[in-house]
Amino acid sequence: MQLKQKIVALAILPLLLAIAAIGVLVQAQALRLGEQQQRLIENSIIASKRAELRNYVELGLSAIAPLYASGRDDPVTQQQVLAILLGLDYGNDGYFFVYDDQGRSLMHPRQPELVGRNLLTMADPERVQAIQALLHSAQRGDGFQRYQWQKPSTGLATEKLAYVVMLDRWGWMLGTGLYLDDVEQATRQARSELAANIRRTLWGLAGVALVAVLLVFAGGMTLNLSEQRLADRKLQLLAQRVVSSQEEERSRVSRELHDGISQLLVSVKFRLELACHELEAGSRQALGTLRDGLARLGGAISEVRRISHDLRPSLLDTIGLPAAIGQLAAEFERRSGLAVEYRQRLESAHLPDTEAVALFRIVQEALANVERHARASGVSILLEQRGATVQLGVVDDGIGFDVERTEQARCGGIGLRNMRERVEHLGGRFRLSSAPGRTELMVTLPLAG
């Protein structure tokens, strides 16, 4: 993956993960709330059915109260009571039933085939012995019991809630019940609505994620194009600076060769030609002229060495950085007439060739700037080791300058900006401060190993 693709991926993946996590949390919370809603709906319906069953049973008891309260326990009275209860129907599936305390069916309006049978051990599809459970509930006094029973309107086993009471004097259990398929239908509808809401929420999150991804992608592409154009401009400027630096260095070498070496060699040539003419003429001045030509030839050789030294400081390879800077400072002092104080405490630190050349060039450029612009009377150079770093400081007492404006204005040569970039490229720190009477350049580079 390219860098821009990694950046876009790092921007999109956390967003997608966050939206996915939000979706999971929303789904879990919705399911939990849905379960609570289902329980509330079911409890509400069950509570209303309990109240309704109590009312039905009280209605049945009030219908048979005159006969039951008469104190007659003969079969005729009991048959009259059963007949009254047999006619108390409500709705398609609402009826009363009567069992004795042994589990024998005494009256069942919807399933007359059960009358006279002992159903105490009969179990529903869930293995619940319904009649036995109803008897126990009636005898305890709570009266309510849930079980499955055949629904008359459909003929299917359906969950039912019954409420029963005991007619203690006769040993009868009287009760009625309501089927709970409407509860199941209500909870099923609630689950369906919940699932639909969850789907809509997840689709909404997916839409938000898609829009966010598109925005991030569009922003990333826009930023990438902008950064690419900026990088191209910087690359063009850098290429121009490299070309300008090369041309300036070539121009400097060309000027020094033409104005220095070439003039010296032409002068040597003239002195040697003059010496030849004087020798042919037998003049006694020929030897002096020849010696003067040799002296000028020595000057040309020294100038060649100086130019070579400027192109590549060979002193670094022979005597090391501290001594090379010391010799550079001594030559600068002789040439410029400025007082130079040089101190070094580099100990046994090892500097790679790249760092040593960089520090030497920085000192060289700094001294050249002092000579050309500072109008100083003295320069101080300090080279020392501090912990895992090597520090170089160059301080002069010149007139000072505006650092920011000067760095922005200088585009060619090594210059202040090139010195800063050279140091930062090596992982170091470059600091330059200037005021009238004191200009300080400080460079810090990490030591190898």
Side-chain angles (χ1 to χ4, degrees), residues 290-336:
L290 186 59
R291 287 176 177 173
D292 183 52
L294 291 175
R296 297 188 182 189
L297 182 59
I301 294 173
S302 298
E303 187 67 16
V304 169
R305 287 178 179 173
R306 186 187 63 81
I307 295 174
S308 174
H309 177 73
D310 289 340
L311 294 176
R312 166 65 189 183
S314 58
L315 293 175
L316 293 176
D317 301 327
T318 56
I319 62 177
L321 176 64
I325 293 179
Q327 184 167 342
L328 180 65
E331 293 176 356
F332 174 79
E333 188 174 24
R334 287 194 301 269
R335 183 178 70 252
S336 65

Side-chain angles (χ1 to χ4, degrees), residues 351-359 362 419-429 443-447:
L351 280 177
D353 183 67
T354 305
E355 281 78 356
V357 171
L359 292 174
I362 289 172
M419 284 195 291
R420 183 184 298 276
E421 292 177 355
R422 185 193 291 265
V423 172
E424 291 176 352
H425 174 71
L426 295 175
R429 295 192 304 273
V443 174
T444 304
L445 292 179
L447 286 172

Side-chain angles (χ1 to χ4, degrees), residues 253-328:
V253 174
S254 175
R255 286 194 304 270
E256 291 185 351
L257 290 177
H258 180 270
D259 298 340
I261 302 299
S262 178
Q263 298 298 327
L264 285 174
L265 292 178
V266 169
S267 175
V268 170
K269 177 177 179 292
F270 287 159
R271 300 304 293 176
L272 292 178
E273 288 178 349
L274 178 59
C276 289
H277 291 307
E278 290 176 344
L279 287 174
E280 290 176 353
S283 174
R284 296 180 177 179
Q285 297 179 351
L287 182 59
T289 303
L290 186 59
R291 287 176 177 173
D292 183 52
L294 291 175
R296 297 188 182 189
L297 182 59
I301 294 173
S302 298
E303 187 67 16
V304 169
R305 287 178 179 173
R306 186 187 63 81
I307 295 174
S308 174
H309 177 73
D310 289 340
L311 294 176
R312 166 65 189 183
S314 58
L315 293 175
L316 293 176
D317 301 327
T318 56
I319 62 177
L321 176 64
I325 293 179
Q327 184 167 342
L328 180 65

Side-chain angles (χ1 to χ4, degrees), residues 37-108:
Q37 182 181 7
Q38 293 174 21
R39 287 195 295 269
L40 289 174
I41 292 174
E42 184 176 357
N43 293 337
S44 176
I45 296 176
I46 294 298
S48 66
K49 287 185 178 295
R50 282 173 176 264
E52 187 178 357
L53 287 173
R54 286 181 183 273
N55 293 332
Y56 285 146
V57 170
E58 290 176 359
L59 177 63
L61 289 174
S62 63
I64 65 172
L67 292 174
Y68 186 73
S70 66
R72 293 178 294 174
D73 299 331
D74 57 281
V76 175
T77 303
Q78 292 178 351
Q79 288 299 321
Q80 290 176 351
V81 169
L82 292 176
I84 293 173
L85 294 173
L86 187 63
L88 295 178
D89 287 350
Y90 52 93
N92 294 329
D93 301 308
Y95 58 88
F96 287 88
F97 54 83
V98 180
Y99 290 84
D100 63 16
D101 55 6
Q102 301 300 317
R104 185 168 60 90
S105 175
L106 301 179
M107 185 270 294
H108 201 296

Side-chain angles (χ1 to χ4, degrees), residues 138-214:
Q139 292 167 356
R140 288 194 306 269
D142 52 16
F144 290 101
Q145 182 62 43
R146 294 178 68 163
Y147 58 95
Q148 290 193 11
W149 195 267
Q150 180 180 335
K151 188 175 183 179
S153 60
T154 62
L156 301 176
T158 307
E159 190 172 10
K160 184 177 183 179
L161 175 65
Y163 179 66
V164 291
V165 295
M166 292 297 297
L167 301 177
D168 295 323
R169 199 171 74 248
W170 293 350
W172 286 5
M173 178 182 67
L174 168 64
T176 186
L178 293 174
Y179 291 94
L180 302 179
D181 50 350
D182 55 343
V183 178
E184 183 179 355
Q185 182 179 0
T187 55
R188 188 185 308 114
Q189 182 178 358
R191 285 195 297 268
S192 177
E193 292 177 355
L194 174 65
N197 289 334
I198 292 176
R199 284 195 298 271
R200 286 194 294 269
T201 302
L202 293 180
W203 278 113
L205 286 175
V208 171
L210 179 61
V211 172
V213 168
L214 291 177

